[in-house]
Amino acid sequence: MSTAFVWFPQLAVLTLISSAVLSWALAGLIRRLALRQGFVDHPEAAPQRKVHTAPVPLLGGLALFGGFALTSVFLWNVLTAGYLLPKHLLGLLLAGAVLMIGGAWDDIKNLKPSRQILFPLLACVIVVASGVDIHEITNPFGDTLSLETISWIIFTWQDIPYRLVLWADLFGILWLLATTYATKFLDGLDGLVAGVTAIGASAIAVLSYRAPVLQPETALVALCLAGAAVGFLIWNRHPAKIFLGESGSLFCGFALGVLAIISGGKIAIALLVLGVPLLDAAWVIFKRLRSGHSPFVGDSEHLHQRLFKLGLT
């Protein structure tokens, strides 16, 4: 029986508090840095889509990821002592670092969409290469479709073969891109993405700890994310004092997508939280393409923006 299972209640509290405090503290530091350097979101840049009236600092995703990453490293031996392998956690952290670099660069330089997508794509490849992939798909009638019918051994390290599994890897990358961009498109109101992330990560933590999954280590990683989101939410609730920025809005959906795969491939639990944002993103992209616009150019047609226009809080 693993240490994480025996001491789970104590470790869960420690994980939540540590990641929340670190995320909260880092957000305050990054906020001051962003203000000093002028890395802010100006409302006049797109008044039809902005709800804030004064410049708000960006780069908040660095704080959320920092709280998550530091807590994960601190609990490394506990988190990697069971089902979750060191390469899985390392892959998630490396991929998150790629999203931080690309997102921060975009916040500062306002990259073209063709360059923006390179960082999420690279992050997805990194985490799939670390062994986080979907082996099979179960339909509602109980049958399963194997995604491992075509594979090649790429190399062997320490007597462990590393394979390219065509359909499993491709499906994993597409799934992660979908969840990544779901929260990117969702990031239009104060506290929305951070709140959804806290709820989604908490749901995955409960699922992972209980039967039949029984992965307390995965549950603790999910609580790292939930705590980091809650700590950041203190600064990001309305009226927001700092925004997630590109890096944070991408990482939240990406991390939820990865955790959904690791927790026994239970993608349904992520769809319960991200289902509406995913459908909203698909519908908005379809409308933009139909009207001849780029799917990556923002507008005010998202569901949360429509609800806000109706006068809802």
Side-chain angles (χ1 to χ4, degrees), residues 172-250:
I173 290 172
L174 292 176
W175 160 252
L176 292 176
L177 280 175
T179 60
T180 298
Y181 275 89
T183 50
K184 170 183 166 59
F185 288 165
L186 184 66
D187 191 21
L189 294 176
D190 296 345
L192 186 55
V193 169
V196 167
T197 301
I199 294 169
S202 298
I204 291 175
V206 172
L207 171 75
S208 300
Y209 180 66
R210 297 172 62 87
V213 179
L214 290 177
Q215 295 177 19
E217 297 83 8
T218 305
L220 290 175
V221 176
L223 290 176
C224 286
L225 180 61
V230 170
F232 181 77
L233 195 56
I234 296 173
W235 291 95
N236 189 233
R237 71 185 190 276
H238 185 74
K241 298 178 177 63
I242 185 172
F243 287 158
L244 278 170
E246 185 78 2
S247 58
S249 63
L250 291 172

Side-chain angles (χ1 to χ4, degrees), residues 127-211:
V127 83
V128 168
S130 73
V132 178
D133 55 11
I134 302 169
H135 303 292
E136 61 185 20
I137 301 174
T138 304
N139 66 35
F141 302 102
D143 298 327
T144 59
L145 174 64
S146 175
L147 298 177
E148 299 183 316
T149 55
I150 303 176
S151 66
W152 301 274
I153 297 178
I154 305 302
F155 64 91
T156 301
W157 185 53
Q158 295 183 345
D159 296 327
I160 300 176
Y162 287 81
R163 302 174 180 270
L164 171 63
V165 186
L166 180 61
W167 300 120
D169 293 347
L170 182 60
F171 187 85
I173 290 172
L174 292 176
W175 160 252
L176 292 176
L177 280 175
T179 60
T180 298
Y181 275 89
T183 50
K184 170 183 166 59
F185 288 165
L186 184 66
D187 191 21
L189 294 176
D190 296 345
L192 186 55
V193 169
V196 167
T197 301
I199 294 169
S202 298
I204 291 175
V206 172
L207 171 75
S208 300
Y209 180 66
R210 297 172 62 87

Side-chain angles (χ1 to χ4, degrees), residues 31-306:
R31 179 178 181 272
R32 287 195 290 271
L33 174 64
L35 284 172
R36 188 179 304 121
Q37 299 297 325
F39 303 147
V40 297
D41 186 2
H42 294 280
E44 60 270 17
Q48 74 279 9
R49 295 189 292 112
K50 308 292 185 179
V51 298
H52 56 289
T53 57
V56 177
L58 295 167
L59 305 179
L62 298 175
L64 191 151
F65 176 71
F68 170 82
L70 290 173
T71 306
S72 299
V73 171
F74 176 72
L75 295 173
W76 183 277
N77 290 335
V78 174
L79 299 179
T80 58
Y83 174 84
L84 190 68
L85 300 178
K87 66 176 183 178
H88 297 153
L89 187 55
L90 180 61
L92 175 56
L93 294 177
L94 287 177
V98 168
L99 292 176
M100 292 304 107
I101 294 171
W105 189 13
D106 182 43
D107 285 339
I108 295 170
K109 297 294 185 180
N110 194 22
L111 302 176
K112 295 179 180 180
S114 58
R115 293 187 179 183
Q116 292 174 355
I117 197 173
L118 295 177
F119 297 96
L121 185 59
L122 177 58
C124 294
V125 171
I126 289 173
V127 83
V128 168
S130 73
V132 178
D133 55 11
I134 302 169
H135 303 292
E136 61 185 20
I137 301 174
T138 304
N139 66 35
F141 302 102
D143 298 327
T144 59
L145 174 64
S146 175
L147 298 177
E148 299 183 316
T149 55
I150 303 176
S151 66
W152 301 274
I153 297 178
I154 305 302
F155 64 91
T156 301
W157 185 53
Q158 295 183 345
D159 296 327
I160 300 176
Y162 287 81
R163 302 174 180 270
L164 171 63
V165 186
L166 180 61
W167 300 120
D169 293 347
L170 182 60
F171 187 85
I173 290 172
L174 292 176
W175 160 252
L176 292 176
L177 280 175
T179 60
T180 298
Y181 275 89
T183 50
K184 170 183 166 59
F185 288 165
L186 184 66
D187 191 21
L189 294 176
D190 296 345
L192 186 55
V193 169
V196 167
T197 301
I199 294 169
S202 298
I204 291 175
V206 172
L207 171 75
S208 300
Y209 180 66
R210 297 172 62 87
V213 179
L214 290 177
Q215 295 177 19
E217 297 83 8
T218 305
L220 290 175
V221 176
L223 290 176
C224 286
L225 180 61
V230 170
F232 181 77
L233 195 56
I234 296 173
W235 291 95
N236 189 233
R237 71 185 190 276
H238 185 74
K241 298 178 177 63
I242 185 172
F243 287 158
L244 278 170
E246 185 78 2
S247 58
S249 63
L250 291 172
F251 175 71
C252 286
F254 177 80
L256 288 174
V258 172
L259 289 170
I261 297 176
I262 294 176
S263 59
K266 303 298 183 180
I267 289 178
I269 194 69
L271 288 176
L272 287 174
V273 180
L274 293 177
V276 171
L278 283 168
L279 290 174
D280 177 60
W283 174 247
V284 169
I285 289 174
F286 170 75
K287 289 181 65 178
R288 291 173 184 172
L289 291 173
R290 187 178 61 179
S291 61
H293 296 105
S294 169
F296 298 103
V297 175
D299 55 31
S300 56
E301 295 299 314
H302 287 286
L303 177 61
H304 58 269
Q305 292 166 325
R306 293 188 172 200

